[in-house]
Amino acid sequence: MQESTLRTNFALNTTIGEIVAADYRTAKVFENNGIDFCCGGKVALSAICQEKGINPDTLLREIETIKNEHIDRSQNYTSWELPFLVDYIVNTHHAYLKENDEQIASYARKIAGVHGAHHPEVIEIATIFEKIATDMAAHLLEEEEVFFPAIKRAYAERKTGNAPSQEDCNVIKESLAKLGREHEEIGDAIHTIRHLAKGYALPEDACNTFMITYQKLKEFEDDLHKHVHLENNILFPKASQL
Ligand SMILES: [Fe+2]
Ligand SMILES: [Fe+2]
């Protein structure tokens, strides 16, 4: 078998999550092609191409082009040490959620009240977002108070050549399963919102608050994709090896 064929087969059997974990810039290619790389990242490239009717060669070429561009270490998340990755997630993505969740929920409630009669989808969007915000608060708390500290302790033990405590191993194992499930639920909920909002296309009678709400929801979704990607595809596999 020729070397190029081997390479192609390898890439086609690789999952979307693995490709993005190896180089986050490839996320743009998947986004542009309407492919979910975080919550739905466990699917092989060949399977998703078949499902979406995309030519795999074109997609591979786009991925190769982006990968050949120079990459800065500040974007090379896989190369970071676990404690640094954990702090990065908390200081960027968790901070974003804590600053924005309540504001977006209140915008969504407002447009539901004003525009709900003509656009019933915004009532549903407000209800779903409310649940996301509540679930997310509990999710972040568990990561910051339970899961991440256990990862840091286990990492420190490994670093000095010792085995992590049984208690931390149990916490990591249980959290991985539970948090992974929650990522899927939250991911599904935000996809439902995108679907209801027709990809955040504004109706003709949209007011400023309507526009800001959709902009914020889109921003929320983008932030969530990156956040869940860093956890599902980089942090979780590394944590499970501790
Ligand atoms: Fe998180
Ligand atoms: Fe999470």
Side-chain angles (χ1 to χ4, degrees):
M1 202 181 285
Q2 283 185 342
E3 200 196 334
S4 62
T5 319
L6 274 172
R7 237 191 347 252
T8 308
N9 284 345
F10 169 73
L12 288 172
N13 291 327
T14 316
T15 67
I16 311 294
E18 285 166 343
I19 296 172
V20 181
D23 191 333
Y24 186 71
R25 297 169 302 170
T26 59
K28 260 259 124 358
V29 175
F30 294 119
E31 255 169 38
N32 293 343
N33 285 281
I35 297 170
D36 174 16
F37 62 86
C38 62
C39 309
K42 291 193 179 99
V43 185
L45 191 69
S46 55
I48 202 77
C49 283
Q50 201 165 24
E51 187 193 314
K52 300 247 171 200
I54 297 168
N55 181 345
D57 291 335
T58 317
L59 203 65
L60 280 174
R61 254 196 310 277
E62 285 178 40
I63 293 170
E64 275 311 308
T65 309
I66 241 170
K67 281 172 83 170
N68 284 333
E69 290 167 12
H70 170 76
I71 186 168
D72 201 86
R73 193 175 170 84
S74 66
Q75 282 177 44
N76 197 356
Y77 310 107
T78 350
S79 70
W80 294 357
E81 300 224 0
L82 264 184
F84 186 78
L85 178 62
V86 163
D87 288 341
Y88 175 83
I89 290 172
V90 172
N91 288 310
T92 55
H93 298 295
H94 289 202
Y96 167 81
L97 290 168
K98 287 172 197 164
E99 279 166 25
N100 289 279
D101 270 6
E102 188 34 51
Q103 192 196 31
I104 301 173
S106 101
Y107 277 140
R109 276 195 300 271
K110 197 170 170 194
I111 62 166
V114 179
H115 297 275
H118 289 108
H119 301 286
E121 69 276 13
V122 295
I123 300 176
E124 216 177 322
I125 289 173
T127 310
I128 297 172
F129 192 85
E130 202 83 51
K131 181 163 185 336
I132 292 181
T134 312
D135 291 352
M136 194 52 112
H139 182 88
L140 298 187
L141 196 70
E142 175 155 1
E143 287 183 344
E144 290 179 22
E145 306 273 311
V146 183
F147 183 49
F148 292 169
I151 288 181
K152 283 187 171 181
R153 282 190 301 267
Y155 181 85
E157 290 296 346
R158 285 266 178 241
K159 196 90 177 156
T160 48
N162 299 314
S165 75
Q166 195 52 48
E167 202 187 334
D168 282 338
C169 288
N170 292 342
V171 165
I172 292 171
K173 200 172 160 207
E174 281 161 26
S175 295
L176 281 170
K178 181 168 182 280
L179 297 169
R181 267 197 313 276
E182 291 172 3
H183 286 167
E184 264 179 51
E185 286 163 12
I186 294 170
D188 285 347
I190 195 72
H191 289 163
T192 306
I193 289 183
R194 165 181 275 279
H195 180 73
L196 287 167
K198 298 182 186 70
Y200 308 113
L202 290 171
E204 279 190 0
D205 58 342
C207 63
N208 264 343
T209 311
F210 206 121
M211 187 186 71
I212 293 169
T213 310
Y214 272 22
Q215 267 176 7
K216 281 274 178 193
L217 283 169
K218 166 88 177 62
E219 181 188 273
F220 179 93
E221 188 187 353
D222 289 344
D223 188 86
L224 187 76
H225 279 167
K226 187 165 174 198
H227 180 183
V228 171
H229 159 69
L230 290 177
E231 291 180 354
N232 273 6
N233 300 326
I234 301 180
L235 183 70
F236 285 13
K238 285 190 181 196
S240 67
Q241 282 167 16
L242 288 170

